[in-house]
Amino acid sequence: MTQTTAAQSLGAWLKEADRCVSTWEARWGPYEPHPSLRVDHEALSASYEVYVNRLTGNYPFFHPRYAGQMLKPPHPVAILGYLTAMRINPNNHALDGGPPTAAMEKEVVIELAKMFEFPINALGHLTSSGTIANLEALFVSREEHPDKTIAVSQEAHYTHARMGHVLGVSVENIAADTNGRMDLEALEKALRSQKIGTVVLTAGTTGLGTVDSIAEAIPLCQQYGARVHVDAAYGGFFRLLKRSEILDPVVAKNLDAIKDADSVVLDPHKHGLQPYGCGCILYRDPKMAKHYLHDSPYTYFTSEDLHLGEISLECSRAGAAAGALWLTLQLLPLSADEGLGPILSSCLEAAQRWHAALEDTPLRSWGKPELDIACYYPEAKPNSVSAIDRASQALFENSMSSTMNPVFLSVLRVQSADLRARIPDVEIDQESVRILRSVLMRPEQANFAESLVDSLVGFVQSHVR
């Protein structure tokens, strides 16, 4: 089922989902729903109309014109899988809360571990978000190296500092280069102190889309006895393309090296085409399960098999999330040549075409995209950081507010020194500067990149006039 045909037939499939679940429910015999659960049809109709009208205030995340944040609707197959299971509402904490979806979760975790070439007995489970997945990874890091510091790049996601605070763990920021990649000399200096227990490397920063030098960093960390956790929440799925010509060879090498990390986080709700509520944590060593050990007076009694709650910090988790991911991977498998691979390739192509289209325009590229995030900024007069900052914000506002030809963007704040690396003669009159950022995670955007850049150029030129 292609995305187009799946979207067109989703309504019919949802009717089929309702029929299938209703048939299953009928097996257990008739009963009369309690009158307190009833709602008035006319009241529902009126409230639903208000609800739907309020939802129209969203930006068009589904459309190629939306090139802003990491937002897009899930694949229709994922919607079908989620809503079907949601009718039953299984809970993937203990097996008696949802045996089928718990089995599906174990199956998809094995597939995700294979994608990273983790051992067959790797430990892992789905989570309700990448934030919770990273929290669990840092929790295990704290337990493995009590009283030691966790090192993260200054360009790493802010969740690590926040979760470090929650866990009472010291987090040390390591300098990054002008491309947003962790500085390995600065990392080694920190490692020499013997205070670092875990180093967090990033496979796809959420700002620039940069992949850290994972292939070089892992041996360095191992030399000093530090664990390595890779936050691949955004870029992890691109590992499928490590042998593809469209992926830069250095980026491919670093994504390949994730196989040697101690743990990795992935967000299927991004490039895995899932609804929100689907993250994943994987540990190379299954012995890390010891840090999750706990007991409960009323769960874990229905089976001697592993209950997912025994290896997670979260308790109740939506079984529908596992079901949706399982169904999606049946139709769009983790493969470079079919399934997710061609989708990811088109997203990379969109960013590369966006980057190329900026040439000979009043918009300058921040650099060639490593993944599917393109960053850029307008030329400005005078040639100062503050002027570029104002011009970026103006383009952001004008492109978003256009009633005829909108392009939805996002803004990224970077250090002025990093801008000077691209414009040596720029006057630095403030510490940071806003630039523009486009996340091109819709494969259709490969066919829209040039026209969207043309629209932005038109906004710049009309603003200048």
Side-chain angles (χ1 to χ4, degrees):
M1 187 189 305
T2 66
Q3 174 124 7
T4 301
T5 56
Q8 290 172 341
S9 60
L10 180 59
W13 279 107
L14 292 180
K15 289 182 180 179
E16 177 65 6
D18 182 64
R19 185 194 68 78
C20 290
V21 176
S22 295
T23 300
W24 172 79
E25 290 175 339
R27 287 172 47 192
W28 305 101
Y31 71 98
E32 187 68 26
H34 195 276
S36 65
L37 298 174
R38 294 173 187 161
V39 296
D40 179 76
H41 177 75
E42 291 185 2
L44 171 60
S45 178
S47 295
Y48 187 70
E49 182 178 3
V50 173
Y51 173 67
V52 171
N53 286 336
R54 291 188 69 170
L55 290 178
T56 62
N58 281 297
Y59 296 122
F61 306 130
F62 70 95
H63 200 279
R65 285 186 179 278
Y66 187 83
Q69 305 288 359
M70 295 169 174
L71 295 166
K72 65 176 182 179
H75 193 281
V77 169
I79 296 172
L80 175 64
Y82 197 100
L83 292 180
T84 303
M86 193 180 70
R87 272 281 306 271
I88 302 168
N89 204 25
N91 180 348
N92 271 20
H93 179 64
L95 286 177
D96 53 327
T101 52
M104 291 177 194
E105 178 168 340
K106 293 176 184 179
E107 291 168 25
V108 297
V109 165
I110 288 172
E111 291 303 307
L112 295 173
K114 284 180 182 177
M115 182 177 73
F116 290 112
E117 297 180 66
F118 267 29
I120 190 66
N121 64 340
L123 183 75
H125 60 272
L126 300 182
T127 65
S128 61
S129 69
T131 297
I132 297 301
N134 277 307
L135 168 66
E136 295 203 16
L138 299 190
F139 160 73
V140 168
S141 297
R142 184 191 71 181
E143 300 303 292
E144 283 289 293
H145 292 292
D147 304 321
K148 285 206 168 186
T149 296
I150 294 172
V152 304
S153 165
Q154 67 182 26
E155 294 297 323
H157 196 278
Y158 55 81
T159 191
H160 300 292
R162 295 176 70 193
M163 295 303 102
H165 177 70
V166 169
L167 292 166
V169 177
S170 176
V171 176
E172 179 176 343
N173 281 335
I174 306 297
D177 63 21
T178 59
N179 294 310
R181 193 172 292 106
M182 182 184 280
D183 186 314
L184 296 188
E185 289 186 6
L187 173 61
E188 184 167 19
K189 182 179 179 180
L191 288 168
R192 286 196 204 104
S193 71
Q194 294 298 319
K195 295 179 180 178
I196 306 297
T198 295
V199 175
V200 177
L201 303 172
T202 305
T205 60
T206 49
L208 299 170
T210 302
V211 177
D212 277 336
S213 301
I214 300 171
E216 296 176 67
I218 288 182
L220 181 62
C221 294
Q222 291 172 338
Q223 177 185 338
Y224 288 93
R227 298 180 74 257
V228 173
H229 169 59
V230 176
D231 181 358
Y234 191 75
F237 282 105
F238 285 99
R239 194 177 189 275
L240 291 172
L241 304 179
K242 65 178 185 175
R243 294 186 178 88
S244 171
E245 293 182 359
I246 196 168
L247 191 64
D248 182 272
V250 175
V251 175
K253 178 182 178 182
N254 288 317
L255 292 176
D256 180 59
I258 296 175
K259 65 179 181 288
D260 297 319
D262 294 288
S263 58
V264 60
V265 155
L266 184 71
D267 266 0
H269 71 241
K270 293 187 173 78
H271 286 104
L273 310 177
Q274 299 305 293
Y276 282 111
C278 191
C280 180
I281 174 66
L282 298 167
Y283 300 99
R284 162 175 293 283
D285 185 355
K287 296 187 183 68
M288 294 303 102
K290 65 186 179 184
H291 299 302
Y292 290 96
L293 289 177
H294 67 283
D295 198 6
S296 167
Y298 57 88
T299 53
Y300 314 142
F301 292 112
T302 56
S303 173
E304 294 298 320
D305 292 340
L306 176 71
H307 296 257
L308 291 164
E310 297 179 90
I311 56 167
S312 67
L313 292 184
E314 291 180 277
C315 292
S316 297
R317 291 182 300 109
L325 181 56
W326 184 91
L327 183 61
T328 303
L329 294 184
Q330 304 311 299
L331 292 126
L332 297 167
L334 297 171
S335 168
D337 301 320
E338 58 178 344
L340 287 185
I343 297 172
L344 294 165
S345 293
S346 293
C347 295
L348 284 176
E349 182 186 354
Q352 291 170 8
R353 292 177 71 166
W354 190 290
H355 165 76
L358 295 172
E359 190 173 353
D360 298 324
T361 74
L363 294 170
R364 294 192 185 186
S365 175
W366 189 257
K368 186 176 180 180
E370 294 192 3
L371 299 179
D372 58 355
I373 299 176
C375 294
Y376 46 98
Y377 54 93
E379 297 173 347
K381 292 181 181 179
N383 186 20
S384 67
V385 167
S386 61
I388 292 172
D389 181 83
R390 290 191 299 271
S392 294
Q393 183 65 20
L395 178 53
F396 170 69
E397 293 174 359
N398 291 336
S399 64
M400 297 269 282
S401 62
S402 172
T403 56
M404 298 295 294
N405 197 26
V407 182
F408 299 89
L409 312 174
S410 62
V411 172
L412 174 66
R413 189 175 293 279
V414 298
Q415 295 301 304
S416 297
D418 293 341
L419 181 64
R420 175 168 273 179
R422 292 155 175 78
I423 312 176
D425 59 343
V426 70
E427 178 191 354
I428 296 183
D429 52 359
Q430 57 188 52
E431 289 186 5
S432 64
V433 56
R434 286 171 291 188
I435 63 172
L436 297 158
R437 167 178 167 271
S438 289
V439 178
L440 302 164
M441 60 193 307
R442 294 151 202 77
E444 300 88 353
Q445 288 172 319
N447 296 324
F448 277 76
E450 289 88 355
S451 64
L452 293 175
V453 170
D454 286 345
S455 296
L456 296 180
V457 170
F459 291 130
V460 171
Q461 291 173 339
S462 63
H463 183 67
V464 170
R465 288 197 297 269

